[in-house]
Each structure stands twice: as C-alpha cells, then as structure tokens.
Amino acid sequence: MSRCLVTGGAGFIGSHIVDALVADGHETTVLDDLSTGNRDQVNIAARLVVGSVCDVALLEQCFATNQFEVIYHLAAQTDVMTSVDDPDSDAKHNILGGIRVLECCRRHGARKVIYSSSSAVFGEPDYLPMDEAHPVRPICPYAASKHTLEHYLEIARINHGLDYTVLRYANAYGPRQDPHHEGGVVAIFAHKVLNGVRPTIYGDGMQTRDFVHVADLVRANLDCLDRADGQSLNLGTGTEVTITDLFQRIAGMAGAGVEPHYADERQGEMKRLSLDSRKAAQVIDWKPQVELIEGLESVLAHFTEN
C-alpha cells in the first residue's frame, strides 16, 4: 500500500479518487483550499489539510511530515471562461502551483505523480476521435496551462527520476459535480431542470462533447499507481454528443417541461470533441464502462437525494 496525497481531493473527481484509495487501504491525505471543493465530500478515513498548492511553506510541511510516495495532482483552476478573463490567476494555480508540488516531490523522494490533465489541450480537432498523436494547439489559457505542466513532468522525470502518468480527460461528469461551476454542463443542466429553471446553451447547441463518467476516471487513476510510467493517456468514450441532445436527454429523463434559452458562443471553447482511448486500453487495460444513460441517471439521483 502507498502513502498518497490527493491535491484537490475535496473536489468532484478528487473526492471520488480519495474514496477509492481509502477503500484499497492506501494511507491518503487530501490537500485542498476548499475554494471549489467541499469538506463534507472528504472521506472520514483520509486526512484533510486545508490550503493551496501555491503555499510553499504549507506544501513543504505537508510533504516533510507524511513522506508521500504517490501524488494525485488535481488541484487547479478549471474554468475556461475564468482563464480567458484572468489568465494570470489561471497560470498561478495551474503552472506555478504544479511546479511547487513537483519540487516537493523532488526534495522528499516521492516516486510518482498522476496528473489530471484535459482533452482541452488539443484545441480544435484535425480528426475525430483524437488520439494522443493529435497535434496540441490550446485555444484558451486553461488548456495552455494544463499542457505546460505536462512538460514540467517530463523534465522532472528526465532530471530527477520522478515517474508520472498524464491522464487527459474528456468531459467528466457524475455525482458531486458542482452545478454552479461553468465547466460541469451535465450538473448544470440536471440541477436546473430538476428545479424548473431554464438552462442556457451557448452557441447553437450543435457543439459536441465526449462525456466520461467519474467512476471510469477513478478506475484509470488507480490503475496507474504502478503502471503507465512516462505515458500520456486519453480517457474518453469516443462518442460525440451535442449539447442540445444532452439537454433533451436530461430533461426527458427528469420529466421536466423547461426549454433552454440560447446565448452567444463563448471564447476559448472547442466546437467538437471526442477522444480515442485505445492507448489506455493497451497500457492499463482501461475502457469506459458507464453508458451515458446510466451515468445521467446517477447525476439526477444524486441531486434528487441531496
């Protein structure tokens, strides 16, 4: 079993990873500034340290005390529009914060970082679904900052022997996703239709996304504890779903009579997306298992119960 740190472990994906690590018997610490994370989502068997990855003194104390072996690095500024409006803050958290984590890994002998990256790094597709060989051309500061840290991971591997795995997620969704955060369209739609509120669709609604359930992402993260060193892996379903179709499915499943209203498309957002995950199938034997309908049911049930 490993001593693990999960940065951003009070958040949507991070808290599910923490649950899985604890269930498998790993000694798990969460570092989260709770700016978007929720203290109540942190597994009671995990240790919670409240603070930011940008806080050098706190990071140093945390690493020195616990001597982590594996770091799951999820702490980040994750909203595309926030990154467009405030690229300085985006870079501070996603690049400088990440570098500070890597420096602590070097100083305290951690063996591996498993990094939650994003399909946004690719930019507009030359072909679909996009595999790992697809050109990387970010079209927003968020995507650029996420990809920048991928380079620092490779540098740390070359210079200091720190192993890593980069996981590039498609559009994650599932229970605990924040319905008040612009990045979580499934949660936003589900929360609004259940409350009889009309959601906003930006653009014509024909933009596509590839929705991958958090349970599938958690499996991949745990599968990388001792595998996929030095690898970047796409995690998606390979299926495009339009935003209009997504809304219609959620509204129909919820029995809601609301209709969306449309607004101008937003800068920095991709028009089409789907990921080819065959490399993940080869390297860690990973394939998505949660079908979209099943996954949407889990989100609607979560909001209904909470």
Side-chain angles (χ1 to χ4, degrees):
M1 298 302 163
S2 298
R3 293 185 301 277
C4 299
L5 172 66
V6 184
T7 72
F12 162 44
I13 301 173
S15 65
H16 285 283
I17 292 173
V18 170
D19 285 347
L21 288 170
V22 168
D24 277 2
H26 300 287
E27 183 181 319
T28 307
T29 299
V30 170
L31 176 64
D32 200 301
D33 65 5
L34 303 181
S35 58
T36 57
N38 185 341
R39 184 189 298 267
D40 293 337
Q41 294 180 163
V42 178
N43 191 296
I44 59 172
R47 176 171 179 250
L48 172 62
V49 177
V50 178
S52 170
V53 291
C54 296
D55 186 333
V56 176
L58 178 65
L59 275 177
E60 182 67 27
Q61 179 184 21
C62 193
F63 271 77
T65 301
N66 295 280
Q67 295 299 307
F68 301 117
E69 299 167 86
V70 177
I71 288 77
Y72 284 91
H73 183 49
L74 294 95
Q77 189 300 112
T78 60
D79 185 62
V80 169
M81 298 316 299
T82 297
S83 79
V84 171
D85 294 337
D86 189 0
D88 182 81
S89 177
D90 181 83
K92 175 184 176 183
H93 289 91
N94 294 359
I95 301 174
L96 293 180
I99 290 172
R100 289 164 182 170
V101 170
L102 295 184
E103 280 295 281
C104 281
C105 290
R106 176 180 64 83
R107 287 194 294 270
H108 295 281
R111 70 172 178 85
K112 186 167 187 178
V113 175
I114 299 170
Y115 175 48
S116 290
S117 188
S118 170
S119 56
V121 303
F122 292 118
E124 294 296 349
D126 290 344
Y127 54 86
L128 291 171
M130 293 183 285
D131 57 17
E132 290 80 2
H134 188 282
V136 172
R137 293 186 300 256
I139 61 173
C140 66
Y142 163 71
S145 65
K146 294 296 286 186
H147 187 243
T148 296
L149 194 65
E150 293 184 14
H151 290 289
Y152 277 92
L153 285 162
E154 175 63 11
I155 291 166
R157 187 189 69 82
I158 293 170
N159 292 338
H160 309 301
L162 178 65
D163 283 330
Y164 71 86
T165 303
V166 170
L167 299 176
R168 292 173 176 162
Y169 303 158
N171 298 89
Y173 75 103
R176 301 182 194 166
Q177 191 169 33
D178 185 356
H180 307 293
H181 191 280
E182 289 300 328
V185 64
V186 170
I188 293 169
F189 283 179
H191 188 262
K192 286 185 181 294
V193 300
L194 286 171
N195 287 281
V197 178
R198 297 177 67 192
T200 299
I201 291 178
Y202 296 95
D204 62 8
M206 291 297 104
Q207 63 269 41
T208 65
R209 296 294 182 264
D210 180 349
F211 295 101
V212 59
H213 195 268
V214 65
D216 286 327
L217 298 179
V218 169
R219 284 193 300 105
N221 273 273
L222 265 68
D223 286 346
C224 291
L225 264 169
D226 298 299
R227 290 193 285 177
D229 292 347
Q231 301 279 344
S232 296
L233 304 177
N234 288 349
L235 299 178
T237 69
T239 301
E240 291 183 84
V241 178
T242 70
I243 298 302
T244 294
D245 182 39
L246 177 73
F247 168 76
Q248 291 172 344
R249 293 188 192 209
I250 292 173
M253 293 170 66
V258 298
E259 292 293 335
H261 60 80
Y262 291 81
D264 292 340
E265 65 180 61
R266 299 183 294 187
Q267 287 184 321
E269 294 195 332
M270 299 163 65
K271 290 182 174 59
R272 295 180 65 190
L273 170 66
S274 68
L275 290 184
D276 183 332
S277 301
R278 285 178 293 179
K279 182 178 177 183
Q282 296 167 355
V283 175
I284 59 171
D285 195 29
W286 181 89
K287 292 182 180 179
Q289 295 178 354
V290 181
E291 297 290 340
L292 183 59
I293 294 299
E294 177 189 354
L296 295 179
E297 287 174 347
S298 75
V299 175
L300 290 166
H302 173 76
F303 284 128
T304 301
E305 293 165 6
N306 295 275

